[in-house]
Amino acid sequence: MSYERIFAAAVGRVRAEGRYRVFADLARKVGRFPSADHRGARGDPREVTIWCSNDYLGMGQHPVVLEAAAAALEQYGAGAGGTRNISGTTHLHVLLEQELAGLHQKEAALVMTSGYVANEAAISTIAKLLPDCVIFSDSLNHASMIAGVRASACEKRIFRHNDLDHLEDMLKAEPRERSKLVIFESVYSMDGDFGPIHAVCDLAERYNAMTFIDEVHAVGMYGATGAGVAERDAAMARVDVVQGTLAKAFGCMGGYIAASRAVIDAVRSFAPGFIFTTSLAPAVVGGALASVQYLKTSTLERLAQQERATTLKRRLAEAGLPVMASPSHIVPILVADPVRCKAATDALMDRHAIYIQPINYPTVPKGTERLRLTPGPLHDDGKMDRLLTALGDVFERLDIKLAA
Ligand SMILES: *Cc1c(COP(=O)(O)O)cnc(C)c1O
């Protein structure tokens, strides 16, 4: 048997469906973000503007973060030296977990190697420990939450996205004393809509369920101190477990959960995805700690981000471009065709030195293929002017439908 052929055939199927992914070779430059050097097929690097980064606030190049990361590297060296149990609980880990617990007004927090790992490890461990648990999961939940549900091997019920009646029907159908875990997000990253936190918590209280929220696309950006949408909505105390990332608005790497001391101690003690992997490097933890602390008091970045998102949505609509309704900082533009979506992003790169990732099936449903833009404080008016001109050119060239 030719093993090689099997892999090539599998990738061939992805190609045939138009879903083959090509990664852009980008080198970001400190002080120049959201600009970066792009190396294409033709060789020499060319400066492009990134409009789809999840380093939402530009904290990945912020001097406060870089200085803290550099200081940690100098002081503690490159690696953590082991799993948390062996020698990977550095003093910086302790400080970061205290900071995150405080941010979310919970008793404790647990840092993991990514947001993905935090969701997978925490959801699976919590659900497994609850006797005969049934998980209620929003249909648009992130792949890492689905991985957690699968790994738990618990029964699951998928409720239609943000559909409270559907969730209530499903909760109602279970015996009151049966363990229940409701998992949802505060900002859904492809449509940019919010999860109804208070309403979900009302149902959870009524039907005796635990709640777990993914605030990955909200931490650092919403709420008075950047704790997320639950802070903005004054709902922090109502959610049992909050999960976040240090990799998006905080500009570094790593994930975490914050919850009661009992929940954190249980995940710490039982989750293989936490226990059996080397902990984050000191430079990463030091940078993240500085970023969380900085965004707790500085509102400049999140206010500028909101202003940029509002302005971009208004200007796209004025230009007749099919911007999709989104209440958050995420700005999707409808293309509604996978081939044109990819062609549009290629043309933006080749003709206009603008980098935007095409969002196609299976990330979004067929027929809703889109460009997903994430404007931030560093996208100035000049960059926005050039983006508008470029989108106008590309939509006309490719004959993409404008707004109705
Ligand atoms: C990016 C993302 C994650 C994973 O976070 P990482 O820190 O990148 O691993 C989890 N949930 C959602 C909704 C995400 O978009």
Side-chain angles (χ1 to χ4, degrees):
M1 179 162 62
S2 163
Y3 291 112
E4 296 299 314
R5 244 190 16 238
I6 294 170
F7 300 116
V11 174
R13 289 193 293 276
V14 173
R15 270 187 206 278
E17 289 168 27
R19 296 199 284 115
Y20 185 69
R21 289 169 192 238
V22 180
F23 299 148
D25 179 342
L26 295 166
R28 306 202 313 165
K29 293 179 285 189
V30 170
R32 302 272 305 152
F33 186 74
S35 295
D37 282 337
H38 175 241
R39 283 175 178 80
R42 289 182 290 279
D44 285 349
R46 182 176 63 135
E47 188 165 281
V48 300
T49 304
I50 302 175
W51 275 95
C52 58
S53 177
N54 283 335
D55 183 357
Y56 287 122
L57 303 178
M59 293 305 289
Q61 67 166 16
H62 197 287
V64 164
V65 175
L66 298 192
E67 274 161 35
L73 179 72
E74 281 291 314
Q75 199 173 347
Y76 304 110
T83 63
R84 288 290 296 272
N85 191 41
I86 290 171
S87 65
T89 297
T90 74
H91 186 53
L92 287 173
H93 279 89
V94 176
L95 295 180
L96 179 58
E97 286 174 345
Q98 283 170 1
E99 189 68 38
L100 291 168
L103 178 68
H104 293 287
Q105 296 177 20
K106 298 292 182 197
E107 288 173 355
L110 192 67
V111 169
M112 292 180 241
T113 45
S114 74
Y116 186 103
V117 168
N119 268 335
E120 196 273 342
I123 291 169
S124 62
T125 301
I126 291 166
K128 255 191 214 157
L129 287 171
L130 295 172
D132 188 31
C133 179
V134 52
I135 302 174
F136 301 83
S137 178
D138 187 286
S139 62
L140 292 191
N141 276 342
H142 189 258
S144 55
M145 302 172 81
I146 297 168
V149 174
R150 293 232 169 92
S152 77
C154 290
E155 266 186 59
K156 62 167 190 282
R157 314 270 183 266
I158 313 295
F159 58 94
R160 285 186 296 271
H161 175 55
N162 276 355
D163 187 332
L164 295 160
D165 292 333
H166 196 204
L167 173 59
E168 178 159 22
D169 287 345
M170 289 178 159
L171 285 165
K172 208 187 289 182
E174 299 300 327
R176 189 177 162 76
E177 58 281 5
R178 184 170 185 191
S179 312
K180 305 175 193 75
L181 177 66
V182 180
I183 61 174
F184 65 120
E185 300 182 19
S186 67
V187 178
Y188 289 86
S189 66
M190 291 302 144
D191 291 325
D193 56 334
F194 293 110
I197 303 179
H198 277 295
V200 169
C201 291
D202 286 343
L203 290 178
E205 274 168 26
R206 191 168 315 145
Y207 296 100
N208 193 27
M210 243 182 108
T211 50
F212 181 108
I213 192 167
D214 174 319
E215 288 250 40
V216 158
H217 291 280
V219 288
M221 295 176 276
Y222 292 86
T225 67
V229 179
E231 180 182 36
R232 183 198 71 178
D233 293 355
M236 277 202 285
R238 300 192 69 192
V239 182
D240 294 305
V241 185
V242 53
Q243 178 270 358
T245 185
L246 303 166
K248 291 173 183 172
F250 292 127
C252 295
M253 194 182 183
Y256 64 90
I257 56 168
S260 68
R261 203 164 281 118
V263 168
I264 295 298
D265 208 22
V267 174
R268 191 183 71 83
S269 305
F270 285 95
F274 169 77
I275 296 172
F276 297 105
T277 190
T278 298
S279 67
L280 287 173
V284 171
V285 181
L289 176 60
S291 190
V292 173
Q293 284 170 338
Y294 175 86
L295 286 176
K296 229 176 188 177
T297 53
S298 177
T299 56
L300 195 74
E301 291 76 11
R302 44 185 170 267
L303 292 177
Q305 182 198 32
Q306 289 297 324
E307 183 280 322
R308 291 284 82 186
T310 306
T311 301
L312 179 60
K313 285 180 213 169
R314 177 177 53 75
R315 292 192 58 184
L316 289 168
E318 282 167 5
L321 289 158
V323 56
M324 298 164 76
S326 149
S328 72
H329 60 282
I330 292 162
V331 182
I333 305 175
L334 189 67
V335 177
D337 178 86
V339 177
R340 280 198 178 94
C341 194
K342 174 78 171 70
T345 58
D346 286 347
L348 285 168
M349 187 69 124
D350 294 342
R351 295 175 52 80
H352 301 281
I354 284 173
Y355 176 61
I356 299 171
Q357 183 61 31
I359 310 282
N360 280 348
Y361 176 81
T363 308
V364 294
K366 286 182 179 162
T368 72
E369 294 82 4
R370 66 194 70 175
L371 310 179
R372 174 183 178 273
L373 280 63
T374 54
L378 300 169
H379 292 97
D380 59 23
D381 284 337
K383 286 190 168 57
M384 210 180 275
D385 292 343
R386 289 192 287 284
L387 172 72
L388 266 291
T389 305
L391 286 169
D393 170 61
V394 165
F395 272 59
E396 189 183 315
R397 246 164 214 285
L398 295 172
D399 198 21
I400 300 170
K401 203 165 163 280
L402 297 182

